[in-house]
Amino acid sequence: MSDRANLKAAADLIRQAGSVALACHVGPDGDALGSMLAFGLAARDAGKEVAASFGSPYSVPGNLGFLPTELLVPPEDFPAEPELMVVFDAGSAERLAELGSNASKAEKLIVVDHHATNEGFGDVSLIDPSAAATGELVHDLLVELGWEATPEIAQCLLTALVTDTGRFQYASTSPRTLRLAADLVAAGANPSQVSRHVYEQAPFGYLKAAGAALSRAHLERDKGVVSTTITEADLTEAGIGWGDIDNLIDIIRLAAEADVAVLAKLHEDGRVKVSLRSRGDTDVGALAAGMGGGGHRLAAGFTSEEPPEKVLAEVHRRIEGYR
Ligand code: AMP
Ligand code: MN
Ligand code: MN
């Protein structure tokens, strides 16, 4: 449960505001986008003026395009000095990219998140690392506000739960997560639509790009690490974009010999975005934090400007320190 006092303080700020500006982390996933849009729809229904966005690149991942995106505005159209800004699923202000500056100029800032590393960077922070998804906390907030979850809102929140729990498979899945999922379905959420869009389909080019990345996968048996790279050229050749490969790490991590899966995404501009997953023995969240990123114990990431070989060698070198 979110801290009751904070929940009440957040609800008071929200009730007083005529407009709310909402942001989630860059490269939004189902929890970030689902949580933000759920809250945005409910705020709109309550008569608030709502703008929602995320930092560049401003592109909704293809498999989340089924969510109601009408409240989204590009980051350049986001209120420069919001009356009230609410931030979802971002462990730190850096995760907002350019919208971090809007957050610092907001009259009031509320942070809703479940990253254990989040130290709270707003006036009111609703942070609960025991929540499987930020969506659980958004639900608590809607209940506190007395705002009803319409079928559309329920669908956004179910998407948040489904994606951050890997379809209710990760250890973070609690009785509360499953009960909330049941309530959301009762409220009109459609689980088969979520899984069809998020997991059961991808552009054909995804198969090609995944094939290229899988053909380069490398297993270090003694360290229990499987790693590979995917390049922007792989994506261009396959006719897809970065937003289409969010599930690729889930194929890499199938290697039973490995506790840790590493996927390095090599961007044309030289940035290397690394996704890390652990089966349980390695704290990849702490590892990623040490590399300037963050995340959860078993799912984390960071971005580097160093050459990819150097970045991967550094990850391999450090892994044993986090077991
Ligand atoms: P991803 O591998 O991009 O799906 O990210 C997995 C988890 O790691 C997410 O829940 C994020 O919270 C976190 N994460 C990924 N990249 C970063 C980053 N650059 N900085 C902080 N946290 C990150
Ligand atoms: Mn997220
Ligand atoms: Mn999350």
Side-chain angles (χ1 to χ4, degrees):
M1 252 311 188
S2 317
D3 184 279
R4 288 242 59 99
N6 287 357
L7 205 49
K8 199 178 167 309
D12 285 344
L13 284 180
I14 294 162
R15 278 194 204 95
Q16 286 158 20
S19 64
V20 290
L22 314 178
C24 65
H25 66 72
V26 280
D29 49 28
D31 186 28
L33 214 47
S35 294
M36 175 171 78
L37 295 176
F39 184 83
L41 293 171
R44 186 193 60 187
D45 292 349
K48 315 274 179 204
E49 194 186 315
V50 182
S53 190
F54 52 88
S56 314
Y58 178 68
S59 157
V60 174
N63 62 3
L64 296 175
F66 72 98
L67 290 174
T69 52
E70 68 265 22
L71 295 172
L72 289 179
V73 299
E76 57 271 24
D77 295 344
F78 195 80
E81 295 174 9
E83 171 190 2
L84 173 63
M85 184 159 163
V86 191
V87 169
F88 301 87
D89 203 38
S92 66
E94 287 73 56
R95 295 282 287 153
L96 300 175
E98 69 260 47
L99 293 181
S101 117
N102 308 62
S104 66
K105 290 183 199 128
E107 255 172 69
K108 291 287 176 198
L109 179 65
I110 298 174
V111 171
V112 186
D113 186 36
H114 66 133
H115 289 90
T117 49
N118 196 332
E119 293 167 355
F121 51 97
D123 298 291
V124 178
S125 293
L126 297 181
I127 300 167
D128 181 357
S130 77
T134 295
E136 289 189 12
L137 307 176
V138 170
H139 176 262
D140 291 347
L141 190 52
L142 298 189
V143 169
E144 179 71 28
L145 283 158
W147 290 357
E148 195 203 340
T150 61
E152 251 190 333
I153 292 169
Q155 184 71 336
C156 292
L157 291 179
L158 184 67
T159 302
L161 297 190
V162 167
T163 53
D164 257 30
T165 60
R167 295 180 258 189
F168 307 108
Q169 287 170 17
Y170 301 155
S172 56
T173 308
S174 67
R176 162 187 162 195
T177 317
L178 294 164
R179 285 196 188 100
L180 175 54
D183 289 346
L184 294 170
V185 174
N190 177 343
S192 72
Q193 190 202 37
V194 178
S195 52
R196 180 156 35 88
H197 286 273
V198 180
Y199 298 108
E200 306 292 338
Q201 63 185 27
F204 177 68
Y206 174 72
L207 274 58
K208 295 296 191 186
L214 295 177
S215 71
R216 291 192 289 265
H218 171 76
L219 175 69
E220 278 199 46
R221 265 175 209 280
D222 53 331
K223 285 193 171 164
V225 183
V226 61
S227 56
T228 195
T229 55
I230 187 155
T231 66
E232 201 157 322
D234 291 331
L235 302 184
T236 309
E237 197 174 319
I240 60 172
W242 289 114
D244 292 316
I245 61 144
D246 281 355
N247 294 338
L248 178 56
I249 185 75
D250 295 325
I251 310 181
I252 318 289
R253 69 197 288 268
L254 286 174
E257 297 85 345
D259 183 59
V260 175
V262 184
L263 174 63
K265 303 163 197 165
L266 315 189
H267 288 245
E268 212 74 82
D269 61 9
R271 281 174 309 143
V272 183
K273 292 195 176 187
V274 179
S275 288
L276 301 165
R277 299 290 186 273
S278 164
R279 288 186 183 279
D281 292 342
T282 315
D283 185 349
V284 293
L287 172 61
M291 300 289 288
H296 309 282
R297 213 178 85 82
L298 305 182
F302 68 90
T303 302
S304 171
E305 312 253 326
E306 300 279 345
E309 313 73 52
K310 204 173 152 192
V311 176
L312 284 175
E314 190 59 27
V315 169
H316 281 91
R317 197 179 67 70
R318 291 185 183 208
I319 270 174
E320 264 149 44
Y322 294 97
R323 296 233 154 103

